[in-house]
Amino acid sequence: MLDQDLKTQLAAYLQRVIQPFEMVASLDDSDTAREMLDLLQTIQGLRSDMITLKTDGTDARKPSFTVQRTGSHNSLRFAGLPLGHEFTSLVLALLWTGGHPPKVEADVLDSIRALDGDFNFEVYMSLSCHNCPDVVQALSLMAIFNPKVKTVVIEGGAFQEEVTRRDIMAVPMVFLNGQMFGSGRMLLEEIIAKLDTGVSAREAAKLSDQAPYDVLIVGGGPAGAAAAVYAARKGIRTGIAAERFGGQVNDTMAIENFVSVLETDGPKFAAALEAHVKAYNVNIMNLQRADKLIPAAQAGGLIEIQLANGGSLKSKTVILSTGARWRNVNVPGEAQYKNKGVAYCPHCDGPLFKGKRVAVIGGGNSGVEAAIDLAGIVAHVTLIEFDTKLRADAVLVNKLQSLPNVTIHVNAQTKEITGDGQRVNGLSYKDRATEAVHHVELEGVFVQIGLVPNTEWLKGTLELSKHGEIVIDAKGATSLPGVYAAGDATTVPFKQIIIATGDGAKAALSAFDYLMRLPAAAPQVAAAPAEAAMA
């Protein structure tokens, strides 16, 4: 099940276990069950003095196994094999159960322990989903540290009948006490905030009490991370408020054009960005969505960023690096069937459509790459492109055209995504040359038509282009004094990671240059001795 390198690494990790725990397997006669038993026997054999394996479990979901500290009432179960992207989640669950402390702030752990109620979570994931581990690890940690939280991690490929019955067409998908709780990537703090609304108010008050920054960066993607590093290296007070550290990079798989890094993937790159920023004296405020910018002239001399949770931050300069998000095709049926057949991440949700028919909307690099990826999983891919030709790189187009289970329609306008009220059953498109409307029967639609800047909250505050991008000059300056911008949210002509990082560095240097030219504060007059004695 595990090669020798993985066994060696796992053995080293398991040396950190300091408290005994047991794994209890509920097995059947499937191949997956045999593989699970082999995996669990391997794990137990690597640390037999601390880990007990039992195979007499009676859970209805088979094959599955629990990980539970000896003598505790905690409940964490893995249904199916947690391999692929989820192998790290399994290793962390073993370590945390075995007493190794998680890399989580003490107040976050206190919030987990304080949760009161009955919380029965079921999280569906796929082994190729790069967004799933964050959710799986968060819910696993909660189950380990609070006996009132019970978590079952379900690998969708091993429980296809269950996935179909519950209409799960996107992962990660989370149910709480049998009801839909959330879908898509969620961080631990987000989940806690949804369960304990008081957390948000306490966080807002704490943020508002902070001293003003010299440079405040809004957005934690490549541009924001680079800006934070460059600002912090100047020795000035630097903060970064990010809705999701790493931004859109988290949803990117292959990165092969960042000079000096031959190949990596989005989640790894995002983690490296965060680690680099944390190496400096930067206050990282994650899960913070900016809601309003108040210019210095209206905020008493400091720029104010008001947050969605009610808190606010003040700074002498601000760098806006809020990035962009997937663009919607905006046709009937898209919103209705989102996560019911309409998806935006082929790497995450593709395995849920194994053996089915899907469409990809978009003929740029993202769309063609998605179609190639899906063609290896699904029965058939129909690619719809509005332009008269595919706009992807030639090597990708050639690869796509060589695949036998792909149909390409160019000069085609998507008109409607159809469904039966519960899930997608087709797509209608118009041939722009003949005006004829055609309908394709299918079970899934993947939208890959580019990005839209996250700048709606800035309308009426500073200059935006007709596309909603922040207008900047050669130094990254916006139309407001002391406010700079960088990355995909701006008018920079090419939306590339390497360009965003460069523009983030440039914006930070421009902000520092602005700070150097601010008038010096008037010196404080020392109090007279008699007055000082009375103070």
Side-chain angles (χ1 to χ4, degrees):
M1 175 55 60
L2 301 181
D3 62 32
Q4 190 55 49
D5 287 342
L6 272 179
K7 288 181 182 178
T8 301
Q9 293 176 36
L10 183 56
Y13 282 124
L14 291 177
Q15 292 307 307
R16 303 176 187 180
V17 171
I18 58 175
Q19 295 183 25
F21 65 88
E22 62 184 23
M23 303 180 297
V24 181
S26 299
L27 304 172
D28 53 21
D29 59 357
S30 65
D31 290 339
T32 302
R34 285 187 283 274
E35 292 175 348
M36 179 177 290
L37 180 59
D38 179 52
L39 173 65
L40 297 180
Q41 288 174 334
T42 298
I43 293 170
Q44 193 272 336
L46 294 174
R47 196 67 203 275
S48 58
D49 60 323
M50 284 287 181
I51 304 173
T52 302
L53 173 60
K54 299 179 180 179
T55 58
D56 57 355
T58 58
D59 191 78
R61 277 196 186 95
K62 296 178 180 178
S64 66
F65 65 95
T66 59
V67 179
Q68 187 169 317
R69 193 171 297 165
T70 304
S72 77
H73 299 287
N74 299 81
S75 180
L76 171 61
R77 178 177 296 276
F78 289 91
L81 283 168
L83 297 176
H85 283 298
E86 294 301 342
F87 184 67
T88 299
S89 301
L90 172 61
V91 173
L92 289 173
L94 298 173
L95 294 180
W96 295 334
T97 303
H100 185 71
K103 293 181 179 179
V104 175
E105 297 293 336
D107 59 344
V108 175
L109 285 178
D110 289 341
S111 295
I112 292 174
R113 295 187 181 101
L115 290 172
D116 191 19
D118 293 316
F119 305 103
N120 296 303
F121 284 104
E122 298 165 293
V123 52
Y124 290 84
M125 56 80 174
S126 71
L127 301 183
S128 61
C129 170
H130 55 277
N131 285 325
C132 292
D134 284 325
V135 180
V136 169
Q137 291 164 26
L139 293 174
S140 298
L141 184 68
M142 291 172 65
I144 292 168
F145 279 83
N146 187 333
K148 296 179 180 179
V149 178
K150 296 176 173 58
T151 296
V152 183
V153 179
I154 305 159
E155 197 277 293
F159 293 88
Q160 283 284 348
E161 184 278 330
E162 187 173 331
V163 164
T164 300
R165 174 166 44 83
R166 299 187 82 165
D167 285 330
I168 296 164
M169 308 188 79
V171 289
M173 183 75 73
V174 180
F175 291 83
L176 172 59
N177 298 333
Q179 301 298 315
M180 172 71 173
F181 177 78
S183 64
R185 187 173 185 262
M186 292 182 286
L187 299 183
L188 176 60
E189 293 85 352
E190 288 179 272
I191 296 171
I192 295 171
K194 290 184 72 171
L195 300 174
D196 179 5
T197 55
V199 169
S200 181
R202 293 192 296 272
E203 179 70 12
K206 186 166 65 174
L207 291 171
S208 299
D209 287 341
Q210 291 186 16
Y213 290 93
D214 293 313
V215 175
L216 174 64
I217 298 135
V218 182
V229 169
Y230 267 74
R233 286 173 61 88
K234 293 297 185 182
I236 56 180
R237 178 167 163 75
T238 304
I240 181 167
E243 187 170 357
R244 179 175 65 146
F245 207 98
Q248 191 77 5
V249 166
N250 287 294
D251 302 323
T252 303
M253 285 310 295
I255 299 174
E256 300 174 347
N257 57 358
F258 193 89
V259 179
S260 82
V261 179
L262 188 61
E263 182 179 0
T264 186
D265 61 51
K268 288 181 182 177
F269 191 81
L273 290 177
E274 189 167 7
H276 199 167
V277 173
K278 285 182 175 178
Y280 293 91
N281 187 22
V282 177
N283 185 18
I284 298 176
M285 296 160 280
N286 208 1
L287 305 179
Q288 301 301 327
R289 180 167 61 85
D291 199 46
K292 187 176 182 180
L293 185 152
I294 301 178
Q298 302 172 23
L302 292 170
I303 303 163
E304 182 178 354
I305 299 292
Q306 294 183 351
L307 304 170
N309 66 3
S312 68
L313 301 165
K314 294 185 177 182
S315 182
K316 296 176 183 176
T317 63
V318 165
I319 297 173
L320 303 170
S321 56
T322 49
R325 62 188 183 276
W326 292 117
R327 187 183 299 276
N328 292 326
V329 70
N330 292 321
V331 296
E334 180 182 21
Q336 179 182 358
Y337 293 108
K338 184 177 181 181
N339 295 331
K340 297 177 181 178
V342 175
Y344 300 83
C345 179
H347 305 289
C348 301
D349 301 331
L352 300 176
F353 294 86
K354 183 177 181 179
K356 298 180 180 180
R357 301 161 298 176
V358 303
V360 173
I361 302 175
N365 279 352
S366 295
V368 172
E369 286 173 353
I372 294 170
D373 184 12
L374 290 165
I377 303 171
V378 305
H380 189 271
V381 179
T382 300
L383 187 142
I384 308 293
E385 165 55 33
F386 184 85
D387 204 348
T388 55
K389 64 178 185 297
L390 298 180
R391 294 168 288 106
D393 296 340
V395 63
L396 294 174
V397 173
N398 291 337
K399 173 67 174 177
L400 182 70
Q401 292 174 336
S402 73
L403 299 175
N405 62 334
V406 174
T407 300
I408 301 169
H409 296 292
V410 296
N411 205 20
Q413 181 182 3
T414 303
K415 299 296 291 182
E416 182 181 7
I417 297 170
T418 61
D420 61 7
Q422 298 297 319
R423 60 181 66 187
V424 165
N425 64 16
L427 178 146
S428 296
Y429 71 92
K430 181 178 73 174
D431 185 321
R432 296 175 61 217
T434 65
E435 298 292 317
V437 176
H438 305 276
H439 186 264
V440 182
E441 293 184 356
L442 39 78
E443 289 78 39
V445 176
F446 289 82
V447 180
Q448 300 280 290
I449 56 172
L451 304 170
V452 58
N454 298 315
T455 58
E456 290 87 351
W457 64 287
L458 294 167
K459 288 181 179 178
T461 304
L462 47 68
E463 185 181 359
L464 301 176
S465 73
K466 64 180 181 179
H467 301 296
E469 300 164 318
I470 303 168
V471 177
I472 57 172
D473 66 13
K475 292 185 176 181
T478 73
S479 59
L480 286 178
V483 179
Y484 299 83
D488 288 0
T490 73
T491 49
V492 62
F494 303 109
K495 315 302 185 186
Q496 296 289 310
I497 293 173
I498 198 164
I499 293 174
T501 54
D503 282 355
K506 180 170 60 177
L509 294 175
S510 297
F512 181 70
D513 185 69
Y514 176 88
L515 289 169
M516 287 194 299
R517 285 163 172 73
L518 286 177
Q524 296 291 326
V525 178
E531 294 172 333
M534 294 172 61

